[in-house]
Amino acid sequence: MRHDRGLWLAVGIIMVILGTLVHGSPSWTASGAETMHGRGNVHGALPTMRNDDRGPVAALTMIGGDGGRSPGNTLMSAPTPKRPPSHGDAGPGPKIATVLLPGESPLVSFRILFNVGAASDPPGKEGVAALTAAMLSQGGSRQMTYEQIVQAMYPLATSFTAQVDKEMTVFYGTTHRDNLETYYRIISDMLLDPGWREEDFTRLKTEAINFLKVNLRSSNDEELGKEELYNFIYEGHPYGHHNRGRVGALEKLTLADVKAFYRQHYTQANLVIGLAGGYPPDFPERVITDFRRLPPGSPTRLKLPPPPPIRGLKMRIIQKETRATAISFGFPIPVNRSHPDWPALWLVRSYFGEHRSSNSYLFQRMREIRGLNYGDYAYIEYFPRGMFQFYPDPNLARQQQIFQVWIRPVEPRNAHFALRIALYELKKLVDRGMTREDFEATRQYLSKFVNLMVRTQDRRLGYALDSRYYGIGEFTQYVRRALARLTLDDVNRVIKKYLQYKNIKIVVVTKDARGFRDAVASNRPSPIHYPAPKPKEILQEDEIIAHFHLDLRPEDIEIVPVERVFQ
């Protein structure tokens, strides 16, 4: 509907005043009770048009960039369906939480987050959370098929993406404010009035199964090893399956299972509406009113057991026909972003293995000096798809995290040495701590790097939602203030308190699984093979590393055929 500009302006001013009285300042706000629920990762098949750091990419998927600009002042006409009455019409329901970042940008970013994820998959139905999100973002609405939605969004140069993690499901996209009415009409129908077509369900279930069987098992040793490490560490725990589910469970899921999950968890109590950019002043209240159509519900309060204890070194070798050997290892840590020791541990992680940084310690010791592989990194928060991006995605918030080292694939003949050197360097870090020079350099680096993590409007909105989850305030300010207060003693204290090298789970993806098991269990020397001579001091240290003792017995090592992973 088009309004007279004067009337529109008057209404906008009134809504700003009312919004300020109800919600406080129109700057960054996070209303609603703090929760500890939060993600998984779903890839779509059809292309979308968006602009991001990788240049123009073509559609509508479940995991992709920061939206895109629409050409000129194009405003597409789309059907305006008459929506049926629903649960929200009966009464006000619970207060719907919001995170609002109004600004002058011509773009408007949406992050519509539900505090539920793969950790809420019922036993035997692992994958229903991700499949529900796929049906909403790639299954069409009652009024429009998915193909029609893709066609409608193409000239808007935008997308609508779903991301599912253990405790969060977020739907996000960005559009030009000139196209806001059309875009919002489409995406709100997708979430509030889903199509639930059987053919879409069959297509998306098949895609999910193929993602686990083909994409991870067959085509991506690096992500395969990293994801299986989480399954290994969290065996018997709500985190103990891939966010997309298990193949056997997915094969049995029905459309009725998806609808039931939607009815139970897609409620006002689990909802957080995130908006950023140049939206009209009255727009947030309009969105809240529309989403009152969801049932009131009760918050999904996920009470997690502690991760299973790890006693000693434990190894799982995935046997697969592959040319290289991929290695990941880690252990649980009782620290997430809300913990007072998180900034210090985050600094340690950056020094030891900052993602895609050639200055990090492991990178220097393993790649630069010895040329073992493409890179070696460390994490204290879940970081999927690391081989495809430089910065972690927002809205992967979790109550529980692990310390993880990712050794990118190495030549099989150097794999035993690569595992040894990574554990050897971790031991040195724990035993010796960081030097003042390294501490100061890392702190200075992170004080600037944190700005890159929120470099776009959409990412700022995502991190604001995460800050609400963790209760820490605006992310960049939180980090810089914490870094400014840190001392070297603080950092070396958290190293001693949280890091260790004796109780670790290790996942290896390799062709000769038995040969690797026998070499590791026997602790036979593992000299590194160089294509060219190295300095004497490096060769002397290599000799020490080649004999570094790994306390792994044959009974601590299991071999798993790749066909059984994610089954």
Side-chain angles (χ1 to χ4, degrees):
M1 176 181 289
R2 296 183 180 273
H3 298 274
D4 177 80
R5 287 183 178 271
L7 177 61
W8 178 260
L9 179 60
V11 171
I13 293 171
I14 292 170
M15 293 308 297
V16 169
I17 295 171
L18 290 176
T20 302
L21 290 174
V22 175
H23 297 292
S25 169
S27 61
W28 184 76
T29 61
S31 65
E34 295 297 336
T35 59
M36 288 295 289
H37 298 95
R39 152 168 181 157
N41 174 21
V42 188
H43 298 262
L46 295 180
T48 146
M49 281 303 288
R50 67 174 187 265
N51 293 311
D52 60 16
D53 298 338
R54 294 161 290 184
V57 252
L60 205 59
T61 65
M62 286 188 76
I63 166 156
D66 302 316
R69 298 174 183 270
S70 63
N73 294 322
T74 304
L75 181 61
M76 273 198 57
S77 60
T80 307
K82 183 178 180 181
R83 290 172 173 167
S86 65
H87 305 273
D89 297 320
K95 183 177 182 181
I96 292 179
T98 60
V99 172
L100 306 178
L101 302 177
E104 299 300 319
S105 171
L107 302 180
V108 179
S109 297
F110 291 79
R111 280 191 174 257
I112 300 173
L113 185 147
F114 291 89
N115 287 309
V116 66
S120 294
D121 286 341
K125 296 185 179 180
E126 292 85 358
V128 68
L131 197 49
T132 301
M135 283 293 291
L136 298 177
S137 66
Q138 297 174 264
S141 65
R142 190 171 59 88
Q143 295 295 325
M144 299 177 71
T145 67
Y146 181 57
E147 290 74 17
Q148 289 172 328
I149 290 172
V150 171
Q151 292 172 5
M153 284 197 175
Y154 185 86
L156 304 182
T158 189
S159 63
F160 194 52
T161 299
Q163 174 181 277
V164 182
D165 192 41
K166 300 299 185 218
E167 301 180 50
M168 284 183 170
T169 298
V170 65
F171 300 87
Y172 63 96
T174 297
T175 189
H176 195 279
R177 62 188 171 202
D178 289 347
N179 300 325
L180 180 59
E181 289 297 316
T182 299
Y183 182 76
Y184 175 65
R185 195 157 55 236
I186 293 172
I187 67 170
S188 58
D189 273 350
M190 293 167 73
L191 296 180
L192 299 174
D193 194 14
W196 301 131
R197 296 174 180 84
E198 191 70 44
E199 60 268 27
D200 289 322
F201 175 77
T202 301
R203 167 176 58 85
L204 293 169
K205 184 168 83 167
T206 301
E207 285 182 8
I209 292 170
N210 287 340
F211 173 81
L212 295 174
K213 280 186 173 181
V214 179
N215 189 312
L216 281 184
R217 282 183 185 171
S218 303
S219 306
N220 196 329
D221 293 353
E222 302 186 60
E223 293 295 314
L224 167 63
K226 289 165 59 185
E227 292 294 338
E228 181 61 10
L229 176 64
Y230 275 89
N231 292 351
F232 194 19
I233 288 175
Y234 286 107
E235 287 180 306
H237 185 281
Y239 285 5
H241 63 275
H242 191 278
N243 290 326
R244 295 296 289 271
R246 301 186 196 276
V247 173
L250 281 166
E251 290 172 339
K252 298 174 185 176
L253 285 179
T254 66
L255 183 56
D257 294 324
V258 168
K259 289 181 178 180
F261 190 90
Y262 175 80
R263 286 193 300 270
Q264 180 180 356
H265 296 290
Y266 280 69
T267 65
Q268 297 176 43
N270 281 335
L271 173 64
V272 186
I273 294 172
L275 294 170
Y279 52 80
D282 66 336
F283 188 67
E285 287 301 326
R286 177 179 159 195
V287 176
I288 291 170
T289 299
D290 288 343
F291 276 80
R292 286 281 180 209
R293 296 178 56 233
L294 293 173
S298 300
T300 302
R301 303 195 183 281
L302 195 63
K303 296 181 179 179
L304 296 174
I310 304 172
R311 296 181 175 90
L313 300 184
K314 307 295 179 184
M315 179 178 287
R316 178 173 291 173
I317 306 176
I318 300 174
Q319 183 161 346
K320 176 185 174 183
E321 286 295 318
T322 183
R323 292 184 297 174
T325 298
I327 303 170
S328 292
F329 65 78
F331 51 85
I333 51 174
V335 176
N336 64 26
R337 207 177 292 179
S338 66
H339 195 286
D341 285 337
W342 184 86
L345 197 58
W346 193 60
L347 184 146
V348 174
R349 164 215 58 87
S350 179
Y351 159 74
F352 192 61
E354 178 68 60
H355 181 76
R356 295 295 185 94
S357 172
S358 60
N359 293 323
S360 70
Y361 184 79
L362 274 182
F363 191 101
Q364 288 292 319
R365 304 302 296 175
M366 296 181 70
R367 173 177 170 171
E368 286 297 302
I369 293 175
R370 293 175 170 88
L372 276 168
N373 55 5
Y374 284 112
D376 306 276
Y377 313 118
Y379 310 91
I380 62 169
E381 293 185 324
Y382 181 54
F383 193 147
R385 304 174 297 278
M387 62 184 297
F388 305 113
Q389 58 195 56
F390 283 88
Y391 308 106
D393 291 317
N395 305 146
L396 300 168
R398 297 181 174 190
Q399 296 178 48
Q400 298 178 1
Q401 299 282 2
I402 71 171
F403 173 81
Q404 177 183 7
V405 169
W406 175 29
I407 302 172
R408 301 196 71 181
V410 298
E411 288 185 85
R413 63 177 181 170
N414 288 330
H416 191 181
F417 181 89
L419 174 61
R420 272 181 156 143
I421 187 174
L423 289 170
Y424 171 79
E425 296 295 356
L426 177 58
K427 181 179 185 299
K428 281 169 56 179
L429 176 66
V430 173
D431 292 345
R432 302 177 187 178
M434 289 179 62
T435 66
R436 180 162 300 280
E437 180 182 6
D438 290 332
F439 164 69
E440 294 293 352
T442 307
R443 178 163 63 172
Q444 183 179 14
Y445 163 78
L446 287 177
S447 296
K448 299 175 182 177
F449 173 78
V450 67
N451 291 325
L452 298 177
M453 297 176 69
V454 294
R455 69 192 187 282
T456 66
Q457 174 179 280
D458 174 67
R459 293 182 67 84
R460 286 193 297 276
L461 179 59
Y463 272 88
L465 285 161
D466 289 341
S467 291
R468 177 189 178 277
Y469 172 96
Y470 288 117
I472 60 172
E474 199 278 324
F475 181 69
T476 58
Q477 293 182 19
Y478 165 72
V479 167
R480 283 197 290 265
R481 288 171 182 168
L483 290 174
R485 292 193 298 264
L486 277 183
T487 67
L488 178 60
D489 288 342
D490 293 330
V491 167
N492 285 332
R493 175 184 59 81
V494 303
I495 290 174
K496 291 287 187 183
K497 186 173 183 179
Y498 301 114
L499 301 187
Q500 47 87 20
Y501 48 87
K502 294 182 179 179
N503 302 298
I504 292 176
K505 286 194 172 182
I506 306 162
V507 171
V508 179
V509 183
T510 193
K511 180 178 181 179
D512 185 11
R514 286 188 174 84
F516 192 83
R517 178 197 61 191
D518 295 344
V520 171
S522 65
N523 260 300
R524 70 179 64 153
S526 56
I528 185 173
H529 300 273
Y530 291 116
K534 291 290 181 181
K536 180 180 178 180
E537 61 272 17
I538 298 300
L539 296 176
Q540 289 174 340
E541 187 179 42
D542 287 350
E543 184 68 17
I544 296 171
I545 295 168
H547 291 82
F548 182 68
H549 183 74
L550 299 180
D551 192 13
L552 275 159
R553 301 163 298 173
E555 56 266 36
D556 297 323
I557 306 171
E558 62 174 313
I559 296 176
V560 178
V562 70
E563 295 78 17
R564 281 175 44 197
V565 179
F566 310 130
Q567 188 59 39

